[in-house]
């Protein structure tokens, strides 16, 4: 998944960081930490495949090493997070990535870093509209939570306005979709497969058209908020022809707002964006609440009730299908030694028949193991929605992770 230009850039980064690592080793106050995650998972699809070459059972393995080096009393640090997955059938899901590899330094109210990083923006549960810095790792997870590492220069300044963050990202990473043998991918009767290598760019600079972003975050009493702006190549491709999946990456201007009001056990959340480009302007929002019943009956169990409304004026052109939908969910936190977590929810289309259900469960086993179950179910998907292409891909995924 790492392009040739990106690999060359990575080489220059390593050469640049090498003197810093040597200097760090000379510091008597150096702190180092290494960890490793090894995961085995199996994704089982309940229905027969919709397109030729697809299977019902997909076994895969993931390795994720992490390394942290700090020196000069923590003023300087170097962080690395690698990623590799081997998939039984889908060659595109078999991929490598540098999730993070960056040098960071801080001085009083200023924080600067350069390298591959992951940056998250957002408040809501069912969708993260304002989260635009990193490209989505679409072959790793269906819900868009997994992100690719993004090379950037990141400056954070704390002042009277709040925290001001500035980003410069010189290189663009295309979104990779599942391959011909993969599930959760669009197709049609002639089995046309989305191939991101065929996608065009609006900018003549292509991948090397730099992107810029800025964000102001602060709080006023119980209200946390963020105002953001992004100018550059949009992370989400614009599909101009749904019969051939012809797509283009347009240069966009996106203005974002995210906010959360905390009033005891009740959280009120909102995310909204306006995105402008020559191909399609987008207004979208998601807003709702989360109410937590804490320590129910003195058992230590926390029960969170969630509800959100989602709107996207692209209608059927929206890749996520969330154009006018309602989300409802329940989160259980058992607050036990095993950190047992349970989340289930559903998304209902207000104007159409589409329904999406999901269940997520995780629990630690001993001190070094973790088990996770995840499922997605599609029901009555409207033919006008993008998710119609994957309407039969209901699945259950079980994974076990060993921490070293």
């Amino acid at each position: 998944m790492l392009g040739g230009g990106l690999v060359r850039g990575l080489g220059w980064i390593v050469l640049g960081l090498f003197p810093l690592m040597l200097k760090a080793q000379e510091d008597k106050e150096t702190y180092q930490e290494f960890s490793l995650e090894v995961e085995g998972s199996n994704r089982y699809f309940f229905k027969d495949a919709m397109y030729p070459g697809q299977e019902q059972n997909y076994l895969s393995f993931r390795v994720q090493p992490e390394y942290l080096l700090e020196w000069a009393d923590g003023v300087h640090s170097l962080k690395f997070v690698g990623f590799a997955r081997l998939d039984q059938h889908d060659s595109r899901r078999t991929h490598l990535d540098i999730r993070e590899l960056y040098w960071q330094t801080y001085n009083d109210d200023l924080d600067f870093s350069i390298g591959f990083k992951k940056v998250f923006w957002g408040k809501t549960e069912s969708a993260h509209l304002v989260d635009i810095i990193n490209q989505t790792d679409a072959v790793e997870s269906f819900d868009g939570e997994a992100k690719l590492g993004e090379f950037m220069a990141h400056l954070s300044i704390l002042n009277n306005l709040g925290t001001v963050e500035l980003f410069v990202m010189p290189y663009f990473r295309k979104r990779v979709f599942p391959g011909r043998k993969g599930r959760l991918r669009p197709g049609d009767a002639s089995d046309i497969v989305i191939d991101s290598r065929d996608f065009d760019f609006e900018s003549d600079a292509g991948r090397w058209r730099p992107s810029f972003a800025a964000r102001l975050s602060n709080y006023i009493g119980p209200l946390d908020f963020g105002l953001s702006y992004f100018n550059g190549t949009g992370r989400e491709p614009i599909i101009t022809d749904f019969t051939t999946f012809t797509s283009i990456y347009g240069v966009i201007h996106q203005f974002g707002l995210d906010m959360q009001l905390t009033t005891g056990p009740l959280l009120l959340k909102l995310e909204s964006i306006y995105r402008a480009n020559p191909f399609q302007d987008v207004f979208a929002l998601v807003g709702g609440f989360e109410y937590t019943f804490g320590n129910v009956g003195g058992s230590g169990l926390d029960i969170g009730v969630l509800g959100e409304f989602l709107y996207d004026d692209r209608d059927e052109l929206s890749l996520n299908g969330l154009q006018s939908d309602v989300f409802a969910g329940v989160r259980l936190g058992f607050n036990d030694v095993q950190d047992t977590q349970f989340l289930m929810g559903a998304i209902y289309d207000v104007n159409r028949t589409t329904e999406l259900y999901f269940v997520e469960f995780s629990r630690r086993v001993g001190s070094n193991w973790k088990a996770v179950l995840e499922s997605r179910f599609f029901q009555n998907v409207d033919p006008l929605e993008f998710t119609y292409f994957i309407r039969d891909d209901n699945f259950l995924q079980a994974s076990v992770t060993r921490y070293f």
Side-chain angles (χ1 to χ4, degrees), residues 12-31:
W12 286 109
I13 293 173
V14 173
L15 289 175
L17 292 177
F18 187 68
L20 292 173
M21 297 178 66
L22 291 179
K23 181 175 178 59
Q25 296 298 328
E26 299 174 357
D27 193 322
K28 295 182 180 180
E29 302 299 325
T30 295
Y31 171 79

Side-chain angles (χ1 to χ4, degrees), residues 242-290:
F242 273 81
T243 60
T244 61
F245 298 116
T246 302
S247 303
I248 190 170
Y249 284 102
V251 176
I252 69 171
H253 299 268
Q254 177 172 305
F255 301 87
L257 166 67
D258 59 278
M259 54 197 305
Q260 176 176 298
L261 180 66
T262 303
T263 58
L266 176 65
L267 305 179
L268 300 177
K269 307 177 183 183
L270 174 71
E271 291 187 32
S272 180
I273 62 168
Y274 175 74
R275 182 186 302 164
N277 66 67
F279 301 97
Q280 60 178 211
D281 292 344
V282 179
F283 171 73
L285 65 82
V286 53
F289 72 92
E290 178 174 357

Side-chain angles (χ1 to χ4, degrees), residues 368-379:
N368 299 314
W369 295 84
K370 184 178 182 179
V372 176
L373 292 175
E374 177 185 353
S375 65
R376 293 289 188 278
F377 298 93
F378 307 92
Q379 298 291 329

Side-chain angles (χ1 to χ4, degrees), residues 27 29 70-77 104-106:
D27 193 322
E29 302 299 325
E70 296 180 347
W71 67 98
D73 293 325
V75 173
H76 300 282
S77 64
Q104 182 172 7
T105 185
Y106 74 89

Side-chain angles (χ1 to χ4, degrees), residues 13 54 74 94 119 138 152 168 204 292 297 325:
I13 293 173
Q54 293 181 322
T94 295
V119 176
M152 68 184 72
V168 178
D204 293 335
T292 301
D325 300 72

Side-chain angles (χ1 to χ4, degrees), residues 174-205:
K174 288 185 175 182
R175 183 176 301 190
V176 177
F177 293 88
R180 187 170 300 276
K181 294 184 178 181
R183 300 287 291 257
L184 294 167
R185 70 164 176 85
D188 64 2
S190 58
D191 197 30
I192 297 176
V193 180
I194 290 183
D195 191 340
S196 61
R197 292 171 296 184
D198 299 332
F199 291 4
D200 293 323
F201 289 92
E202 177 191 351
S203 171
D204 293 335

Side-chain angles (χ1 to χ4, degrees), residues 1 15 19 42 98 126 177 186 188 257 266 318 347 362 392 395:
M1 185 176 286
L15 289 175
N42 188 69
I98 304 297
S126 54
F177 293 88
D188 64 2
L257 166 67
L266 176 65
S318 174
I347 296 177
S362 65
D392 287 342
F395 71 88

